[in-house]
Amino acid sequence: MAQDDPRRLIPRTDQLMGLPAVRRARERLSEEVVRTLVRETQERARRGELAPEQVEPAVLAALAARSASTLTPVLNATGVVVHTNLGRAPLSAAATEALVAAAGYVDVELDLRTGTRSRRGAGARAALLAACPPAEDALVVNNGAAALVLATTALAAGREVVISRGELVEIGAGFRLPELIESTGARLREVGTTNRTHLRDYAEAIGPETGCLLKVHPSNFRVEGFTSGVGPEDLGPLARAHGVPLVADLGSGLLTPDPRLPQEPDAASALADGADIVIASGDKLLGGPQAGVVLGRAEVVARLAGHPLARAVRADKLTLAALEATLAGGPTPVVQALHADPDRLRARAERLAAAVGAPVVPHDGRVGGGGAPGVPLPGWAVRLPEAAAAPLRAGRPAVLPRVHDHACLLDLRCVPEPDDDRLLAAVRAALSALDGTAGRADDGAGDETGGTR
């Protein structure tokens, strides 16, 4: 390397690591993360991408932008309330506060009055029972699939699970309930057909090998037309007559009826109708953290809680704290988005559209997360050029729009209203990044119905 090679002027690692700002960064980032950022910046200078005098400010900028987690907060402008790819339900303020408080030492299994060990997650259990009065007991595990695995293992390992063929569903990421159940050692006893199952089908299948009857809500699809099914109100008496438990997997996490979703089953009604236990997810319509919730008859819940597998799938203190606060706190973001006022949504959309010169079009949101399939949530969206989607996703804040019919649609249903100004800034930045847009959107010609699905 020549004596006058500018690369000799690149600051050494020890010099950069000794900078006051870098030392402060090492209090929130690991040593390896800091050193990696320093080395990467030095390599950029060696490749000629940075002048030697730019290395130090580049290192400081990289450290300032780096957080300990790589997860990026996103403004959800898709109109899908329970968006699986965005972590499903956003937590309420109460749940977020409880999550932070539970990050330290908490009395998750301790009675502070006596100093002795207590039942784990007693607060979350009490909150669940208060929110679902027909339930005698409750159990929280780490997710909905774990709750189903625990139930079929505790009740039917080595025996038969009687289930309708029309309810052998596949859930997200290719997981199929039949395979999940069979992995527990239980055997499936399929009854009925894809579109029609009758009470007599269940009755004829029950025998000495029956471990439980399983009713699964096909939450991510609908079968219409020449169909027939059997609900807990009829299966419950049949199960009791034969001394076998009835398990209802509701999936979506609705605890009590919601007039906005009249066809969506809820835990309270299923238990009142005859189910012995119901299984639901905490991070869907319940609006809380990822969790599997089991509610029902005390004797059946106790069988699940006492099984060795219960220890392997139990919920941690953060989940228990957030779940309790979700139930005891105010309305969740999920509830607020489901019941958002269409007129208010339109006013917000028109304000954003006017600021960037874009049209507003009708747009139906969706529940998402497998809940209420096919049920529209009428609203409005700001229509931008399709090319705006990529810079919106890459911006800060990151914004996820819906790309449909050659347009980028921004539905504000799931965007908290205090974030409207941040969304506007993100839209302006995205539009200005497009060649020839000069900060303005197209005129929206060609599709005035916008984001109908």
Side-chain angles (χ1 to χ4, degrees):
M1 184 179 297
Q3 291 294 320
D4 59 352
D5 192 323
R7 287 176 292 182
R8 296 177 62 88
L9 302 176
I10 296 173
R12 299 193 315 269
T13 300
D14 60 342
Q15 292 176 330
L16 293 169
M17 295 294 289
L19 294 171
V22 175
R23 289 200 302 269
R24 289 193 296 271
R26 290 157 75 180
E27 296 175 0
R28 62 180 181 84
L29 298 172
S30 72
E31 182 81 6
E32 183 55 34
V33 167
V34 173
R35 286 187 176 274
T36 297
L37 289 174
V38 167
R39 287 195 295 267
E40 288 175 349
T41 307
Q42 290 171 323
E43 284 301 317
R44 290 177 59 199
R46 294 186 182 103
R47 293 193 301 267
E49 298 173 10
L50 291 175
E53 63 271 18
Q54 295 176 316
V55 170
E56 180 178 324
V59 167
L60 299 183
L63 288 172
R66 182 69 159 85
S67 65
S69 171
T70 59
L71 291 176
T72 301
V74 177
L75 293 181
N76 176 13
T78 64
V80 178
V81 178
V82 183
H83 200 301
T84 296
N85 301 124
L86 294 180
R88 292 185 175 169
L91 294 182
S92 65
T96 302
E97 182 179 347
L99 196 68
V100 173
Y105 294 118
V106 289
D107 56 342
V108 65
E109 286 186 27
L110 180 69
D111 184 335
L112 289 173
R113 182 180 58 84
T114 64
T116 58
R117 188 168 185 167
S118 66
R119 180 171 180 172
R120 184 179 182 86
R125 173 181 173 272
L128 282 167
L129 296 181
C132 186
E136 298 174 0
D137 203 354
L139 177 66
V140 182
V141 296
N142 59 5
N143 64 27
L148 179 59
V149 166
L150 178 60
T152 53
T153 301
L155 303 177
R159 305 177 70 191
E160 292 181 345
V161 175
V162 179
I163 183 173
S164 169
R165 287 187 174 90
E167 297 171 8
L168 299 175
V169 303
E170 179 177 306
I171 57 179
F175 289 99
R176 295 177 173 178
L177 258 60
E179 297 170 356
L180 199 66
I181 295 169
E182 288 174 334
S183 72
T184 70
R187 301 188 302 275
L188 290 176
R189 179 67 183 271
E190 302 173 18
V191 300
T193 63
T194 301
N195 60 320
R196 290 178 68 81
T197 302
H198 306 284
L199 185 62
R200 66 176 183 274
D201 296 320
Y202 291 94
E204 292 170 357
I206 296 176
E209 290 298 299
T210 302
C212 67
L213 305 186
L214 177 60
K215 177 71 178 175
V216 176
H217 174 51
S219 57
N220 53 4
F221 69 95
R222 291 191 304 179
V223 178
E224 298 178 331
F226 188 58
T227 63
S228 177
V230 186
E233 67 278 7
D234 294 317
L235 286 177
L238 177 66
R240 286 193 296 275
H242 289 83
V244 296
L246 169 60
V247 179
D249 186 347
L250 307 184
S252 66
L254 195 62
L255 296 186
T256 55
D258 186 337
R260 184 70 187 79
L261 309 171
Q263 302 302 316
E264 191 71 11
D266 66 278
S269 298
L271 290 172
D273 285 345
D276 291 294
I277 60 171
V278 296
I279 292 169
S281 294
D283 56 348
K284 294 183 180 179
L285 292 178
L286 199 152
Q290 177 176 298
V293 175
V294 180
L295 293 157
R297 286 204 299 119
E299 183 272 331
V300 182
V301 174
R303 287 175 65 181
L304 272 63
H307 193 278
L309 184 60
R311 173 65 182 236
V313 298
R314 74 178 187 178
D316 75 323
K317 62 176 182 176
L318 301 179
T319 298
L320 294 171
L323 181 61
E324 179 184 357
T326 296
L327 295 162
T332 66
V334 166
V335 169
Q336 292 172 333
L338 289 176
H339 295 270
D341 180 3
D343 292 336
R344 184 61 184 165
L345 289 176
R346 182 170 191 172
R348 293 173 60 199
E350 288 177 342
R351 186 165 57 247
L352 173 61
V356 297
V360 172
V361 296
H363 184 257
D364 287 341
R366 286 292 185 269
V367 174
V375 175
L377 301 176
W380 305 89
V382 178
R383 181 186 170 97
L384 302 176
E386 183 176 8
L392 280 170
R393 293 193 301 267
R396 291 295 182 271
V399 178
L400 185 66
R402 183 185 180 216
V403 177
H404 176 70
D405 198 18
H406 307 294
C408 170
L409 302 173
L410 298 175
D411 187 323
L412 276 63
R413 177 178 297 276
C414 305
V415 177
E417 191 162 348
D419 283 329
D420 281 1
D421 289 342
R422 297 176 65 224
L423 177 60
L424 172 58
V427 171
R428 282 174 168 160
L431 292 177
S432 66
L434 301 180
D435 291 339
T437 61
R440 293 187 60 83
D442 68 353
D443 61 5
D447 181 11
E448 289 305 315
T449 60
T452 54
R453 295 173 183 255

